[in-house]
Amino acid sequence: MIEVQERVRPGREAAPEALPAEVAPPFDWGWLPFALLAAVAFVLRLWDLGARAMHHDESLHALFSWYLYVGRGYTHDPMMHGPFLFHLTALMYTLFGDNEITARLPMVLLGTASVAMPYFLRHELGGRGAIAAALMLAFGPAFLYFSRFGHNEAMIMFQTLLIIVGVFGWLRTRRSAYFYAAVVGLTLMFATKVVSLIFAFTVVSFITAAIVVQRQRTPGDFVLEAVRDVGFRHLGVAALIFFGIGGLLYTTFLTNLDGLCTAVWSPGFGSCAGKQGMLQYWVAQQGVARGGQPWFYYFMLISLYEVVPLALALASPFLARRPRALFFWFCVWWALVSLGIYTYASEKMPWLIIHPTLPLVMLGALTVEGVTSRIPGWPWLAPRQWAIAGLSLVGLAVFVAWATAGGSEPTPLALQTTMLRRIALAVVFAGIVALAISTARGLGMRQVLGALGTAGMAVLVTYSIHTGWQLAYRNGDVPVEMLVYVQSSPDAPFIVSEVERIGNTLGLRKDVPILLDVGYTDTAGGQSVVHEGVSWPFEWYFRDYKNKPSFSRTLPADFSTGRYGALLVMGTNLDPIKDQLGEYVGNKFRLNWWYPEDYKNIDWGTPVRTLLDPEARAKLVKYVLYRELINPPLGARDMYFYVRKDLARGAAVPSDEAGLSAPSGISAPLLQQPQAPAAVVEVQDVVIYGRQGGQTVLRDPKGITTDAEGRLYVVDGASGTVTILNRDGSVATSFGRKGTGQGEFNEPWGIAIAQDGSIFVADTWNHRIQKFTVQGQFITQWGGYEAGTAPPGKFYGPRDLVITPAGELLVTDTGNKRIQVFNQQGAPVRTFGSEGVGPGQFREPVGIAVDRQGRVYVADTWNQRIQVFDSSFRPITEYQVQGWASQSVTNKPYLSVSPDGDVYATVPDRRTVVQVKDGVVRTVGLPTNPGLSLPTGIELASDGRLLVSDAQGGVVLGYDLSAHLGGSPNASSQAE
């Protein structure tokens, strides 16, 4: 080993001279900003941590950690990455108990610790640069979100920074503590995820390249000296640390020696035969290419979420101060290698954004240090520079308004309005530019760029904070965010609360019997079709429930005894058992959902087309700022939650069940023997349509209408069918199926019937209208997808339709914010409406109705109003409707109008119906048993029935209006 000499080698700090004994060293307050930032970061990460539904992966990690915690042991499985997460999470359970918060607490703690790590890089980053890095790690949207998410990346982030601190601390000082810190970081990273090999390659390849370059270009070779100075003693201790900690974790403290086989690469013989190491698993997954993301995936995510480090990193070659050029070039190498490898790898997941973004943070910190080191102090801009910065911000707002101006209706009036608006904005923008140029006279180019850079950074920081708030708190389990990937929906915690309520109702608490569908596999034509179950995340949520048997395809033999309080079944697995659910009440929920991933269709011409199309620009801006989806709907997997009728909300528990208090009593039937099934089930004064002989006829009823004979026509979004029910509730006929061909549907939403019996269906996500005979035979179709300034006859998403007394067909073209008018052969007659908040403008028009005078009523959802027009589409009045503000994909209200001009409208989010009578909006007093889960379609039949489709409950409810017109007026909902 080469002994460290007393002289200071290149790259090594000189030890400070000893101060006289009577002189006390000054207290170093340099840690205080980092401590304060870490405290704020901890609060941000801990705030409302348990509210978000547990992601599929989170529930896996949480449950297997729980198994370790309760003494069931842990066996390393490469599918769930390394063992460090499970051991640390089990420790959190031991200290604080097991729940959603403690399952995520390891990520909170290590994500918070990462914020403090730049303190140890002040020599490389500079004092202000280190604080800037801590700020970006504390408030960066991706860093904040994944520090609240039960996955490995927050751990990897801390471990990566620990390695960097150790490596560069050793290069600088040769202190053993730094060297061992790097070894501990690498060991823990190796026990966390196979990406440790990628980062190890990044560091080793850079050190090798640095040695080569230094030996050729500089007289000293301090990197090589640092490598030589490691010596055998340090390597020996490092080996003990690496194999000691790693071995204990992979073998769960020597209780599972097979963990040594699965750590990296299983040799395939002896006890390791048939096992798979982490590296083997990762290599195999490259062929699977989970996610199927495009090559630009991480470039897109970084540009959307981590704009501050991205902008600062791009400026670093010009602005970064490099007193230690080695660290700068390491960060450049780190960024390029990370982006290259993760872009090349076929398996791309949103949480991996952490890896290529971390080096951008370091480069951005160097930029901040370089800029601020040249600034004497506050205020760092002269008054005229501040004026330029302010003018540039105003100019940017005006430019965005100009770029997004425009309407979706290509009428001469709309085009003229748009042109005048753009001219006015262009004049204002030109005036701002002229004033800014005048103000800048006499200033140097560097001063002007400084002012513009300050304004630009203010915009990016504001956007970043806004984006982080939306991602972490508002949309944490709502996949309008691209970082929210196949997320369990908020329906999952709701179902858990309902099961808990049922257990408390029966006095059984967590001994209540519930059934969980675990799925099954079909074999047809030599191929296997997997029907997934509902195991995740519910295996985690119901971990403490003692009586939760599972079923696969068929229900257990004792199901008919009524011993089970509830059951959960995957939507695709309902058919084999639905005939046996007559004594249960079921609603449809979302198991998980995901962003529609429309970006996969982007080509090289998409950016140009978007910039040239004002409507496309407007939609892009709305998504970036407000997360309004450009191309809805969200993808989702459905599940059904069934509850015994006597245990449903609002139902009374029979008195003969009062003695049930222990599992042993469950063997006795809890219900009376079911009566012969009826086509229509009458509950008080409510008629339920859609259940026949214990069978669920409807899955996802949307729009409804009736014909002259009183038959009920229902479009079913999930199954892609039209079902016609007789007045007694029996099925007259059904036609259609999911698909894109003639007579097939992709989530139909609206239906209308002409006087000759012709049936018109709004085939929403096939972007067309289809016409059928009274027998359901296909006649014709028209439409096609086009957004923005779409020509007449094209649709973004036709949602509802109605036929006027004159025989014309009105269609709400929801995404294009307009109403289209056709004759019954499909020829366009005219369009009206555009996007906005004024009379005749719309934001998410959905339901539409016409009275016998030809007046048109439109549910202008996001403007929270019903607009009324005369037969020539001139605005008459509007009625405010509370409860329509949500931009949820399920908040789609429909309308119906009585002969007297009374309007009835569904309010999906509030599970109710409102009536507009004499200009006053009232809530209709509907019975709560059965209650509405997601009221959508509505129709006032000629015989006085008010029919409401419950899209979540899978039924249509019929009410006698004479008993349900109560409710007090809402004073804030008067007609204007």
Side-chain angles (χ1 to χ4, degrees):
M1 171 180 163
I2 299 176
E3 297 294 336
V4 179
Q5 304 296 320
E6 291 296 323
R7 67 184 177 84
V8 180
R9 293 191 176 101
R12 182 178 181 184
E13 290 177 335
E17 295 183 1
L19 294 173
E22 66 275 6
V23 180
F27 188 78
D28 180 14
W29 290 96
W31 56 269
L32 184 59
F34 299 92
L36 292 175
L37 283 173
V40 173
F42 179 70
V43 172
L44 291 175
R45 282 149 178 75
L46 198 59
W47 184 267
D48 206 23
L49 185 63
R52 178 170 53 82
M54 290 289 278
H55 185 276
H56 174 280
D57 290 9
E58 287 185 299
S59 65
L60 277 168
H61 298 160
L63 185 68
F64 282 88
S65 300
W66 183 76
Y67 288 159
L68 178 59
Y69 161 64
V70 297
R72 294 174 58 176
Y74 165 77
T75 300
H76 172 242
D77 185 345
M79 185 270 290
M80 291 186 284
H81 306 296
F84 181 55
L85 179 148
F86 300 93
H87 290 78
L88 186 56
T89 306
L91 176 62
M92 295 298 106
Y93 294 161
T94 302
L95 295 175
F96 307 111
D98 57 303
N99 51 57
E100 285 73 52
I101 295 176
T102 52
R104 294 163 176 154
L105 194 56
M107 280 53 71
V108 170
L109 296 176
L110 292 180
T112 301
S114 299
V115 174
M117 290 302 287
Y119 171 78
F120 301 99
L121 291 171
R122 289 174 298 165
H123 182 273
E124 286 72 27
L125 295 173
R128 296 170 182 172
I131 293 175
L135 283 166
M136 286 184 272
L137 294 173
F139 298 101
F143 298 113
L144 174 60
Y145 181 72
F146 288 116
S147 294
R148 296 165 48 85
F149 187 81
H151 214 276
N152 307 82
E153 262 52 45
M155 296 179 168
I156 294 287
M157 178 168 60
F158 172 77
Q159 294 153 2
T160 300
L161 293 173
L162 183 60
I163 294 171
I164 293 172
V165 167
V167 168
F168 281 89
W170 173 259
L171 287 172
R172 189 173 69 247
T173 69
R174 306 294 198 275
R175 292 177 182 171
S176 298
Y178 282 117
F179 178 79
Y180 295 136
V183 173
V184 170
L186 181 61
T187 302
L188 295 178
M189 186 186 290
F190 171 73
T192 301
K193 210 171 184 182
V194 76
V195 295
S196 59
L197 301 179
I198 296 176
F199 188 68
F201 165 78
T202 303
V203 174
V204 172
S205 60
F206 176 78
I207 290 176
T208 303
I211 292 173
V212 172
V213 171
Q214 283 190 344
R215 299 195 71 175
Q216 291 180 350
R217 297 190 177 183
T218 62
D221 52 358
F222 73 89
V223 176
L224 180 58
E225 277 192 29
V227 173
R228 289 172 175 168
D229 282 349
V230 171
F232 291 109
R233 183 172 65 86
H234 285 94
L235 289 177
V237 175
L240 288 175
I241 294 173
F242 185 84
F243 292 106
I245 297 177
L248 288 175
L249 289 173
Y250 273 99
T251 63
T252 312
F253 295 89
L254 305 181
T255 62
N256 168 41
L257 295 181
D258 286 345
L260 299 175
C261 303
T262 57
V264 182
W265 195 281
S266 180
F269 56 82
S271 63
C272 294
K275 295 180 173 60
Q276 192 177 40
M278 281 216 299
L279 184 57
Q280 287 169 300
Y281 176 79
W282 185 79
V283 171
Q285 288 301 304
Q286 300 312 301
V288 177
R290 288 193 307 163
Q293 302 298 342
W295 67 268
F296 54 81
Y297 184 59
Y298 296 115
F299 295 91
M300 175 183 65
L301 292 184
I302 293 172
S303 301
L304 185 62
Y305 289 99
E306 291 297 339
V307 290
V308 173
L310 175 62
L312 291 174
L314 292 175
S316 64
F318 313 100
L319 301 176
R321 187 181 182 188
R322 287 172 268 168
R324 300 292 183 268
L326 184 69
F327 186 74
F328 171 80
W329 289 114
F330 168 72
C331 293
V332 172
W333 178 259
W334 179 16
L336 294 176
V337 170
S338 296
L339 281 170
I341 290 179
Y342 288 103
T343 296
Y344 175 77
S346 62
E347 183 175 336
K348 299 179 177 70
M349 292 294 162
W351 40 80
L352 296 177
I353 186 181
I354 295 297
H355 302 275
T357 308
L358 261 181
L360 300 183
V361 169
M362 298 297 125
L363 288 170
L366 289 170
T367 299
V368 172
E369 177 66 21
V371 171
T372 57
S373 63
R374 302 182 181 96
I375 297 173
W378 177 267
W380 59 82
L381 297 181
R384 282 199 294 165
Q385 288 178 288
W386 284 114
I388 293 172
L391 287 170
S392 62
L393 291 175
V394 176
L396 177 63
V398 173
F399 177 77
V400 170
W402 174 87
T404 57
S408 60
E409 184 182 13
T411 63
L413 179 60
L415 292 175
Q416 183 181 30
T417 301
T418 299
M419 181 183 66
L420 293 175
R421 184 182 304 167
R422 286 183 176 162
I423 290 174
L425 290 171
V427 170
V428 173
F429 182 76
I432 292 173
V433 171
L435 182 59
I437 292 174
S438 175
T439 305
R441 287 178 181 173
L443 296 177
M445 180 58 69
R446 180 175 294 181
Q447 291 175 300
V448 174
L449 292 177
L452 295 177
T454 300
M457 190 50 56
V459 171
L460 295 183
V461 169
T462 303
Y463 168 78
S464 183
I465 294 173
H466 170 70
T467 300
W469 167 77
Q470 289 192 118
L471 174 64
Y473 306 112
R474 181 185 179 189
N475 302 323
D477 52 9
V478 182
V480 294
E481 303 282 354
M482 292 185 186
L483 290 186
V484 179
Y485 187 77
V486 192
Q487 169 67 44
S488 302
S489 82
D491 293 343
F494 170 77
I495 288 173
V496 174
S497 67
E498 283 295 287
V499 171
E500 183 177 4
R501 178 188 64 81
I502 292 170
N504 293 338
T505 300
L506 292 175
L508 298 174
R509 304 299 186 263
K510 292 187 178 180
D511 289 320
V512 60
I514 54 175
L515 272 175
L516 297 180
D517 170 27
V518 295
Y520 59 91
T521 301
D522 264 339
T523 302
Q527 293 185 339
S528 296
V529 179
V530 177
H531 294 254
E532 295 181 351
V534 297
S535 299
W536 307 103
F538 288 105
E539 285 291 339
W540 158 256
Y541 280 121
F542 294 137
R543 64 194 179 280
D544 289 325
Y545 282 72
K546 307 298 190 298
N547 199 354
K548 56 175 193 302
S550 59
F551 70 94
S552 177
R553 191 166 193 162
T554 58
L555 294 171
D558 62 350
F559 180 77
S560 61
T561 66
R563 72 181 296 260
Y564 299 102
L567 77 153
L568 266 170
V569 57
M570 199 73 172
T572 54
N573 304 342
L574 182 63
D575 284 347
I577 66 170
K578 60 186 179 182
D579 291 341
Q580 301 173 253
L581 302 176
E583 294 302 324
Y584 285 75
V585 177
N587 286 327
K588 185 174 72 173
F589 296 89
R590 292 175 295 258
L591 176 64
N592 47 37
W593 48 352
W594 53 88
Y595 185 83
E597 297 187 340
D598 43 9
Y599 54 80
K600 289 183 177 180
N601 299 321
I602 292 176
D603 55 34
W604 291 103
T606 300
V608 176
R609 292 193 296 270
T610 301
L611 292 175
L612 295 178
D613 184 348
E615 288 303 314
R617 291 197 303 265
K619 291 179 184 297
L620 178 62
V621 169
K622 288 179 180 179
Y623 177 75
V624 169
L625 294 181
Y626 310 117
R627 297 299 189 256
E628 292 183 17
L629 290 177
I630 297 175
N631 293 309
L634 296 169
R637 279 195 284 260
D638 295 328
M639 61 180 170
Y640 285 83
F641 178 53
Y642 279 87
V643 178
R644 248 180 28 211
K645 287 181 178 178
D646 59 302
L647 299 174
R649 279 190 178 272
V653 179
S655 58
D656 60 352
E657 293 182 16
L660 282 174
S661 59
S664 58
I666 294 296
S667 58
L670 298 183
L671 293 174
Q672 297 178 354
Q673 293 299 319
Q675 302 299 317
V680 176
V681 181
E682 293 193 9
V683 182
Q684 298 177 6
D685 46 6
V686 182
V687 180
I688 303 176
Y689 299 88
R691 295 191 186 128
Q692 185 172 5
Q695 178 179 354
T696 302
V697 177
L698 306 172
R699 291 177 56 193
D700 181 32
K702 303 292 191 186
I704 56 178
T705 190
T706 56
D707 62 13
E709 299 176 3
R711 295 187 300 177
L712 174 62
Y713 294 66
V714 187
V715 287
D716 195 292
S719 61
T721 58
V722 175
T723 300
I724 305 174
L725 302 172
N726 295 317
R727 292 192 53 152
D728 63 359
S730 60
V731 177
T733 187
S734 179
F735 62 89
R737 62 182 181 183
K738 290 183 70 67
T740 60
Q742 294 179 351
E744 297 177 337
F745 305 103
N746 184 7
E747 197 174 345
W749 275 78
I751 187 168
I753 302 175
Q755 286 188 347
D756 63 358
S758 299
I759 303 170
F760 298 85
V761 179
D763 187 6
T764 303
W765 300 121
N766 280 329
H767 313 283
R768 65 185 178 183
I769 304 298
Q770 294 197 67
K771 181 179 180 180
F772 301 88
T773 66
V774 68
Q775 291 82 21
Q777 298 172 337
F778 176 82
I779 298 176
T780 188
Q781 66 180 31
W782 66 90
Y785 173 75
E786 193 161 343
T789 54
K794 298 293 184 181
F795 298 103
Y796 183 102
R799 191 74 68 165
D800 193 18
L801 63 172
V802 69
I803 297 176
T804 69
E808 293 180 329
L809 186 70
L810 308 184
V811 182
T812 53
D813 187 3
T814 302
N816 286 327
K817 320 296 184 188
R818 63 181 181 179
I819 310 299
Q820 295 205 59
V821 186
F822 302 90
N823 64 24
Q824 293 191 24
Q825 287 70 48
V829 177
R830 65 161 297 180
T831 65
F832 72 96
S834 62
E835 184 171 8
V837 298
Q841 295 181 316
F842 305 103
R843 294 180 66 236
E844 199 72 3
V846 178
I848 190 168
V850 178
D851 64 17
R852 54 189 171 189
Q853 283 77 37
R855 290 187 293 258
V856 180
Y857 302 75
V858 180
D860 186 8
T861 309
W862 296 348
N863 283 327
Q864 298 189 75
R865 62 185 179 182
I866 298 171
Q867 292 201 67
V868 186
F869 305 88
D870 66 15
S871 58
S872 299
F873 308 110
R874 290 187 293 265
I876 298 175
T877 189
E878 62 183 49
Y879 309 110
Q880 298 298 312
V881 179
Q882 296 180 355
W884 283 0
S886 168
Q887 296 187 12
S888 164
V889 295
T890 59
N891 181 37
K892 299 294 179 278
Y894 278 64
L895 305 176
S896 186
V897 184
S898 74
D900 297 329
D902 299 337
V903 185
Y904 296 87
T906 55
V907 187
D909 283 356
R910 296 191 176 180
R911 303 181 180 185
T912 189
V913 171
V914 297
Q915 177 205 47
V916 184
K917 185 177 183 65
D918 299 326
V920 179
V921 180
R922 306 170 184 264
T923 298
V924 179
L926 299 177
T928 58
N929 185 23
L932 290 165
S933 301
L934 188 66
T936 305
I938 189 167
E939 171 76 1
L940 185 62
S942 58
D943 59 3
R945 291 173 297 160
L946 182 65
L947 303 167
V948 182
S949 68
D950 188 348
Q952 200 169 78
V955 295
V956 177
L957 301 181
Y959 303 96
D960 179 3
L961 284 184
S962 62
H964 303 298
L965 293 185
S968 58
N970 185 343
S972 63
S973 302
Q974 304 294 328
E976 291 190 356

